[in-house]
Amino acid sequence: MKANGDRRKVKISRDGNYLGPFAFKMNFPAGFRPNVGYLEQLERWQKLEFPSPYLNARRFDSADPKARKRSVAVIHELLSLTMEKRMTSAQLEAFHAECLLPSQLLLCLIKHQGIFYLTNKGERSTVFLKDAYIGSNLIDKCPLLQFYDKFMALCGRGNIDLSENTNSLPTVI
């Protein structure tokens, strides 16, 4: 038996991000301090391969860890396809049967707090894709959202600087 001093130190990523084709970008909440056991489990999960979210899920066993990771990939892909990179739980529920999402979808989203952010307002909850945001600001806004922000600013309801020329919309004469 080896003494504690002889143990090899294995480098574990503190932020949960790993390189690889099956890894998701992680962004933990500010006060979250994961322990080594959690990080080791997360590393195994990040390296686990999974079937494409575009394949028919009926042929996969829902108890299989690869099928569970595929469910996270499906939700990630759905949120990536939206303009605001977010959906209400009711909107996600519409995809539940078609995509064969887990029955305890909320628990799945909470378990992966480094990928998704959940808000609750009364009975309505919203799921955000964390890697699409810096703080509360959407990173890559589509032109329609940029136009909406500028329109709201002109109406006096927004706090956007209209003089900024980055990401400006073309003017129509």
Side-chain angles (χ1 to χ4, degrees):
M1 186 169 187
K2 293 182 179 181
N4 284 344
D6 295 331
R7 293 174 108 183
R8 255 188 340 155
K9 297 272 184 179
V10 178
K11 188 79 169 165
I12 297 175
S13 173
R14 279 278 183 219
D15 62 1
N17 289 303
Y18 299 93
L19 296 176
F22 303 107
F24 291 96
K25 184 177 179 194
M26 303 295 280
N27 185 8
F28 292 126
F32 184 68
R33 303 284 183 253
N35 61 26
V36 174
Y38 177 85
L39 290 171
E40 288 171 348
Q41 182 182 10
L42 179 63
E43 181 179 14
R44 283 191 302 275
W45 185 83
Q46 284 277 50
K47 291 179 179 180
L48 181 69
E49 58 184 74
F50 61 92
S52 169
Y54 294 103
L55 292 176
N56 186 348
R58 296 193 195 317
R59 60 178 142 164
F60 305 120
D61 180 21
S62 61
D64 185 14
K66 290 180 181 180
R68 291 181 186 167
K69 187 165 182 182
R70 181 196 170 277
S71 297
V72 171
V74 167
I75 297 166
H76 187 281
E77 191 67 16
L78 285 172
L79 293 174
S80 296
L81 293 172
T82 64
M83 284 194 322
E84 294 181 322
K85 312 302 183 217
R86 66 179 177 170
M87 282 184 160
T88 64
S89 56
Q91 290 169 327
L92 269 177
E93 193 65 35
F95 294 98
H96 196 271
E98 181 64 31
C99 298
L100 292 177
L101 295 174
S103 58
Q104 296 179 335
L105 183 59
L106 187 62
L107 184 62
C108 176
L109 296 173
I110 291 171
K111 185 175 181 181
H112 299 287
Q113 62 182 332
I115 303 170
F116 307 110
Y117 176 72
L118 276 75
T119 63
N120 291 318
K121 287 187 176 180
E123 295 179 15
R124 188 174 126 185
S125 61
T126 304
V127 181
F128 292 82
L129 186 61
K130 276 190 158 184
D131 62 358
Y133 286 85
I134 294 178
S136 63
N137 298 320
L138 188 59
I139 296 171
D140 288 325
K141 285 189 178 182
C142 73
L144 186 60
L145 289 177
Q146 293 172 6
F147 177 78
Y148 177 78
D149 288 345
K150 289 182 180 184
F151 180 76
M152 284 291 124
L154 288 171
C155 292
R157 295 184 183 183
N159 54 357
I160 284 202
D161 181 16
L162 292 175
S163 64
E164 68 181 37
N165 285 332
T166 61
N167 297 329
S168 64
L169 296 174
T171 53
V172 179
I173 299 177

